[in-house]
Amino acid sequence: MWTAGRMSNAKNLLGLGVSLYFWGLMDLTTTVLSGSARPLSERQEDHLSDKQHQRMKRSWVWNQFFVLEEYTGTDPLYVGKLHSDMDRGDGSIKYILSGEGAGIVFTIDDTTGDIHAIQRLDREERSQYTLRAQALDRRTGRPMEPESEFIIKIQDINDNEPKFLDGPYVASVPEMSPVGTSVIQVTATDADDPTYGNSARVVYSILQGQPYFSVDSRTGLIRTALMNMDREAKEYYEVIIQAKDMGGQLGGLAGTTTVNITLSDVNDNPPRFPQKHYQMSVLESAPVSSTVGRVVAKDLDEGINAEMKYSLVDGDGLDVFDINTDPNYQVGIITVRKPLSFESKKSYTLKVEGANSHLEMRFLNLGPFRDTTTVHISVEDVDEPPVFEPSFYFVEVPEDVEIGTTIQIISAKDPDVINNSIRYSIDRSSDPGRFFYVDITSGALMTARPLDREDVSWHNITVLAMELNNPSQVGSVSVTVKVLDVNDNAPEFARFYEAFVCENAKAGQLIQTVSAIDRDDPQEGQHFYYSLAPEAANNPNFTLRDNQDNTAWILTRRSGFRQHEQNTFYLPILISDNGRPMLSSTGTLTVHVCSCDDDGMVMSCTAEAYVLPVSLSRGALIAILACIFVLLVLVLLILSMRRHRKQPYVIDEEENIHENIVRYDDEGGGEEDTEAFDIAAMWNPREAQLVVKNRQDMLPEIESLSRYVPQTCVMDNNVHNYVLAKLYEADMDLWAPPFDSLQTYMFEGNGSVAESLSSLQSVTTDSDQSYDYLTDWGPRFKKLAEMYGATDSSGALW
């Protein structure tokens, strides 16, 4: 039989180990009494003899061990002892331990069966272990006992403090709440065994937050403990709650948490204006809906409880001003409701009320949740533009009105107290045709050009009025002019009419229907009268019938028309309107005599029909076109060759490039105009006399200009003389720009007393400071010397 025991041991936590034993009766056929196994017959005999002579001995039966957690000793913790009835104490039995934690957490002495814990045990991590024990014959390894299972339970000690797993807490409670109002419930958790002792019995208490709040020691429910807590006085509270195990007794473990409590707002404060009088001002020119000023009523509450509504409750400006509430900032915005006039009224007084939109009935006793203030508004004068009376003009004018006729008197006045004089004008962008004129002082609107309804029937012009003392102040008014119709246009044919009559036509046959148009638009409508002109009243060929519907028929009066006799007739028709005075015009109907077939279809309307030769083939047409194209190419080639022969000789030396002389006032030279001047003289003045080509068309002008050139400047070179003459003429006219000039860029200082005129080395001299040296350069630089003030030794300019 297996037996197990737990022996007292001073090392095992004051001997708190407990061994539980259970009696059990086992089947005699399977019970090992002692020693080795024997035959069944012998065991039955022994059993029968024992049963007859004595009572059977019961063995110990076990299944649990208990061990305390958190053992802190240095030696392994003794758990218990396993023992088999087969064990005679001679070491022949070997004990083996297996299962959860075997060899790692628990070990067994294979000779004695003592079980020890070799690691620190924590019930909160694991509360029990299930193991199996077996007894083997040490020599043969044969099991001496059936394998048995047992449990080692970890016994709890108070080694865990309560913890607030959801902390810290945030809560809110309305301000002014009654005492005992629930705020929040906090909960602490203790990891110790709640079924063993008081290790997990938690008691709550408040360490910080009194006298404002209290906590239920058993449930952890926090309540208000002070009445009339005002958010406006103190809004935030930090409450510290403690949870202690062991029922709160001395020696218990404790944990704390923080509860942040906010007093939420209620509407317990009425609004109040910080000042009872406001002074504001507004320009009289302020447009409608513009802002005048702002008022605000202070409310210590917040959010929806501080929402305000402003209104005008009294005053003499209720119809002139309005007030709106800004929902974002809870201010009252006073705006202009109607146009203002400093001249009419200079100041207004308003009584403004501000009231809470949302009220709480339980706080109505704290006073009326509304307040009033007085607003004084001063209207400031501004220089306003002139004002027209009325603000719009509509004028009807006959189109035959004479130029200069006054059609309307436009009136404007200065609304200011000063009442400045007004000057009138027309905005020309509204009257681009300049049909009208307005008198600058009287405002009389007159016609400036003839009006034509058929051209422009409506005129929309803008008349401006400007203050005489302040031209920046300009008022405007729209004037609509309707041009009334008069009968000034005679009717005329609606289109060009051309009729055809067959040679075989009969008398009374209709050949054409005519109609007319009139640009006029009489009120009673258009009505036209048709008749043959007086010179054709007795026309023997055609007659006219007026249909009295603004149309007329042209009928044949006879038959037997012949093309060879007369192929075209011209019939004058008189058209009159119904206007006053009646106007008329004469239109001509062209009638062609044509040859027709029996069905009346026109075949030919000329005496001798022109018929193109039908024998001309497509190939012949192509040949004709090809010949014309060849002729055009030859003409273009001849013109190109002639132009090429007239081009001047091109100099081979491309690098020797000088500026040419361009003439703008020489015309009519004929063929010589296409030849440019030969400027070889400009390249080398010493050889110019030999190579210059004289132009006959230029000699007269050169001679006429050369007489103004001093003899010192005259040279045999005609081109040079011409240039000098032009320069002299330009020098004499100081206000004329140098349209004609000679500019040489590559030739400098050859034979000149001034030597090089280049500015590349001018910085090396002091010539930029003094220009007296110009007097030494001769008459050619006299003009420069005069311009820069250079004088001769006698002090006189030359």
Side-chain angles (χ1 to χ4, degrees), residues 327-358:
N328 297 322
Y329 300 98
Q330 301 300 323
V331 298
I333 304 175
I334 300 176
T335 58
V336 178
R337 187 175 182 179
K338 293 173 60 177
L340 303 174
S341 175
F342 173 82
E343 293 73 26
S344 300
K345 190 173 179 59
K346 297 178 176 59
S347 64
Y348 296 88
T349 300
L350 299 175
K351 188 176 183 180
V352 180
E353 178 185 81
N356 283 142
S357 303
H358 305 276

Side-chain angles (χ1 to χ4, degrees), residues 451-469:
L451 302 179
D452 188 356
R453 187 203 66 86
E454 290 71 37
D455 186 16
V456 181
S457 59
W458 292 86
H459 296 268
N460 295 309
I461 63 175
T462 300
V463 177
L464 306 177
M466 179 183 65
E467 290 185 10
L468 181 61
N469 296 334

Side-chain angles (χ1 to χ4, degrees), residues 145-159:
E145 294 280 0
E147 186 179 56
S148 180
E149 185 176 87
F150 64 95
I151 297 173
I152 299 178
K153 288 192 174 183
I154 311 302
Q155 190 171 0
D156 182 54
I157 64 173
N158 189 19
D159 60 340

Side-chain angles (χ1 to χ4, degrees), residues 541-594:
N541 301 308
F542 303 98
T543 185
L544 181 145
R545 180 187 299 175
D546 192 340
N547 298 321
Q548 301 298 320
D549 59 355
N550 292 339
T551 64
W553 286 353
I554 308 301
L555 307 172
T556 58
R557 177 170 285 184
R558 66 178 180 87
S559 60
F561 293 93
R562 296 292 181 268
Q563 285 187 359
H564 63 276
E565 295 178 357
Q566 185 175 354
N567 61 346
T568 303
F569 295 90
Y570 299 98
L571 184 65
I573 299 175
L574 181 65
I575 311 171
S576 304
D577 59 16
N578 61 334
R580 296 182 182 87
M582 178 180 291
L583 299 179
S584 62
S585 67
T586 300
T588 301
L589 173 65
T590 303
V591 182
H592 297 282
V593 179
C594 302

Side-chain angles (χ1 to χ4, degrees), residues 67 71 75-79 105-107 115-119 121:
V67 61
Y71 170 69
D75 297 333
L77 176 63
Y78 180 74
V79 178
V105 180
F106 302 99
T107 61
I115 302 175
H116 292 82
I118 60 176
Q119 287 189 6
L121 302 177

